[in-house]
Amino acid sequence: MKYYIIAGEASGDLHGSNLIKAIIEQDNDAEIRCWGGDLMQQAGGTLVKHYKELAFMGFLEVIMNLNAIFKNIKFCKHDIAAFKPDAIIFIDYSGFNLRIAKWAKEHNFLTNYYISPQIWASREGRIEKIKATIDHMYVILPFEKEFYQKKHNYPVHFVGHPLLDAIANRPVLNESDFRSQNNLDPKKPIIALLPGSRKQEVQKMLSLMLSLTNDFADHEFVIAGAPSLEKDFYDTFLNDANVKFIQNKTYDLLSVSKAALVTSGTATLETALFKVPQVVCYKANWISYQIAKRIITLEYISLVNLIMQKEVVKELIQDDFTKQNLKKELASILNGKERTEQLSSYNELIAKLGGSGASSNAATLIIENAKSA
C-alpha cells in the first residue's frame, strides 16, 4: 500500500523514522512518501520536503513567514493528489497538518494522526476540526486517551510512547570511548545543554546557560547540537575552554551526563528517560510569550510535570529564567535531596508511559484501518 507521512520537526523525524521501519516490516509492498528529515529518508521513505525548511517558531515568526507556509501547503496538496496514498499519516506539527487534513478528508483520503496536537494545552476548540477531519487518532501520552474519550467523546488509540522504543533500540555506549572521540575530559562530570532545535530558541537560551561555566568549573558543559542547525551557527557560543560541542548525538550525551539544562519540549521527556536530573528553561520573544500565556491553560509546560501531574522538575519560564535562578537550581540537582527526588520520580514516570512498542502498535493499526477502509 501507499503511505504519505508529514512531520515538520526533528522529533517528528525521529518518530516518523521508527514508524516507517515498522510499516515496512509489516507491509512488504509499502511505498512511502514523506515530509520529514534524514532519519525518515534513511528508514525507507522518499523525502519530499525537509523539516529544516518548515521550522518556524512562535506566533510572530509564523506571521513573518506566512507566504512560505502557504506555498508549502499548496505544494503538499498537489503532491498528495499525484501520489494517491492509501493512508495519510500526520505526525504532530498541527498548524500545518490540520490544514492538510481538512483538504484530505474533503478529497476522500484516509487520515491518521500519530502523536496528537497538544489541544489539551491550548486552543481546545480544535477538537472539532480533529473530529471532522481525522479518521483515526493514535496518542502517546497516558492522559490523552481520557482527555479525548471522556471529555470530548472522540475514540482514540493509546499506543505507548515512541521515545521508549528509540531509547531501547540504541546500541550500548562505551563512555570512555565516547569521551575520547569527542575530546571530552576523561573525568569531569558532564552538564548537558539542550538549548532547542530552532535558531530562535538557541539564541534566546544558550548564552544564559553558558553563563554558569565559571560557577561550576569542576564540571564540563557540553552543548547538544541539533541536527536541524549547522555547526557554524554554534561557533559564536564556543569561546570558553570549559564548553564542548557535540552535534546530532544527544542520546549518547545524555547517557553519560550528570545533569542537564533543557529548553522545554520533547527533550525534557528524553532527558528524564535517560534518568538525568534537569532544569527546564523557556524564553520566547515578548510578543509571542504574551500571546501564548493567554491561550495556554496548563499549570506546567514540561512533559515530565504534565505526565506526573506535579512538579518533578523545576521550570524557569520567561522572567524567571535568570542566571541567579539557573545557578541555584542547577546546584540543587547536582547533589542532595532534590537530585534523589527527581530520580525517584523518573521511575514513576517511566511506569506511567507503559512498555515499548509504540511504533509497531501504531503501524499495525494504520495498516489494518487502511485495509478495511
Side-chain angles (χ1 to χ4, degrees):
M1 289 191 293
K2 291 182 174 182
Y3 307 85
Y4 199 102
I5 306 177
I6 305 174
E9 298 175 309
S11 60
D13 182 36
L14 171 64
H15 302 321
S17 69
N18 287 323
L19 181 64
I20 288 172
K21 291 173 187 174
I23 289 173
I24 291 173
E25 191 173 292
Q26 297 182 41
D27 179 359
N28 294 329
D29 298 318
E31 187 178 345
I32 300 171
R33 197 164 172 83
C34 60
W35 293 45
D38 299 341
L39 295 177
M40 291 173 74
Q41 186 174 39
Q42 291 163 10
T46 298
L47 190 63
V48 178
K49 185 83 72 170
H50 202 288
Y51 66 77
K52 290 180 182 180
E53 301 178 54
L54 311 172
F56 304 117
M57 173 195 165
F59 299 98
L60 186 61
E61 290 80 8
V62 168
I63 290 170
M64 292 171 62
N65 289 280
L66 277 176
N67 188 47
I69 291 170
F70 285 129
K71 283 184 178 178
N72 284 333
I73 289 171
K74 184 177 180 180
F75 171 74
C76 185
K77 291 175 181 177
H78 285 305
D79 199 55
I80 292 172
F83 185 58
K84 295 182 174 63
D86 296 288
I88 301 174
I89 304 157
F90 304 104
I91 299 180
D92 201 0
Y93 196 48
S94 63
F96 186 91
N97 275 335
L98 286 177
R99 286 178 178 271
I100 299 299
K102 181 178 184 295
W103 171 89
K105 187 65 176 175
E106 290 170 352
H107 288 77
N108 299 314
F109 289 106
L110 182 69
T111 55
N112 301 267
Y113 219 122
Y114 177 48
I115 306 180
S116 163
Q118 295 180 353
I119 65 170
W120 36 265
S122 66
R123 297 162 60 203
E124 193 170 330
R126 288 178 293 172
I127 182 63
E128 299 307 324
K129 288 184 180 179
I130 289 172
K131 283 183 173 182
T133 63
I134 303 301
D135 295 310
H136 303 284
M137 173 74 76
Y138 314 97
V139 300
I140 64 172
L141 297 171
F143 62 81
E144 289 180 317
K145 185 168 185 177
E146 182 175 350
F147 170 83
Y148 277 110
Q149 296 191 171
K150 289 191 176 180
K151 188 172 184 180
H152 291 290
N153 194 31
Y154 176 65
V156 300
H157 306 277
F158 173 61
V159 295
H161 205 292
L163 281 179
L164 294 171
D165 293 340
I167 292 171
N169 294 336
R170 290 177 61 255
V172 177
L173 182 74
N174 182 296
E175 180 173 351
S176 178
D177 289 346
F178 178 77
R179 286 176 177 265
S180 175
Q181 291 163 5
N182 292 283
N183 195 31
L184 303 180
D185 187 284
K187 294 183 178 179
K188 275 188 177 182
I190 292 171
I191 297 173
L193 306 181
L194 280 65
S197 60
R198 303 180 181 98
K199 285 186 177 181
Q200 298 99 317
E201 284 179 326
V202 177
Q203 288 166 340
K204 284 187 168 57
M205 310 301 299
L206 190 50
S207 293
L208 186 53
M209 290 179 174
L210 289 172
S211 70
L212 301 185
T213 55
N214 290 333
D215 297 295
F216 299 89
D218 54 343
H219 292 71
E220 188 161 50
F221 288 73
V222 184
I223 301 168
S228 55
L229 301 175
E230 301 299 327
K231 164 64 169 61
D232 57 9
F233 168 73
Y234 293 93
D235 286 343
T236 56
F237 300 100
L238 300 174
N239 52 13
D240 186 324
N242 197 32
V243 177
K244 298 293 172 58
F245 174 83
I246 299 176
Q247 188 156 31
N248 206 17
K249 294 181 182 178
T250 300
Y251 283 8
D252 289 347
L253 175 60
L254 285 172
S255 72
V256 299
S257 294
K258 183 173 183 181
L261 306 180
V262 187
T263 295
S264 182
T266 304
T268 63
L269 183 56
E270 292 171 316
T271 302
L273 294 180
F274 276 96
K275 299 186 179 180
V276 180
Q278 64 184 297
V279 182
V280 176
C281 313
Y282 185 76
K283 189 166 189 175
N285 72 63
W286 188 85
I287 294 174
S288 292
Y289 178 70
Q290 293 302 317
I291 296 172
K293 76 176 185 177
R294 285 164 172 77
I295 65 172
I296 294 176
T297 57
L298 298 174
E299 187 175 356
Y300 306 110
I301 66 168
S302 70
L303 283 172
V304 176
N305 291 344
L306 286 169
I307 294 168
M308 293 297 292
Q309 298 181 335
K310 64 180 182 178
E311 185 181 72
V312 171
V313 297
K314 186 67 177 180
E315 299 178 352
L316 298 179
I317 306 169
Q318 207 67 7
D319 293 339
D320 289 334
F321 181 52
T322 66
K323 179 179 179 180
Q324 181 180 2
N325 287 341
L326 196 59
K327 178 181 176 181
K328 173 190 170 187
E329 298 302 333
L330 177 57
S332 75
I333 61 169
L334 286 173
N335 299 287
K337 69 172 186 177
E338 288 84 358
R339 180 179 181 85
T340 302
E341 288 171 356
Q342 267 200 36
L343 291 172
S344 176
S345 293
Y346 284 170
N347 291 329
E348 296 177 45
L349 171 74
I350 292 168
K352 274 181 175 281
L353 290 175
S356 59
S359 305
S360 179
N361 293 339
T364 298
L365 290 167
I366 289 167
I367 293 167
E368 288 177 355
N369 291 327
K371 286 180 177 178
S372 62

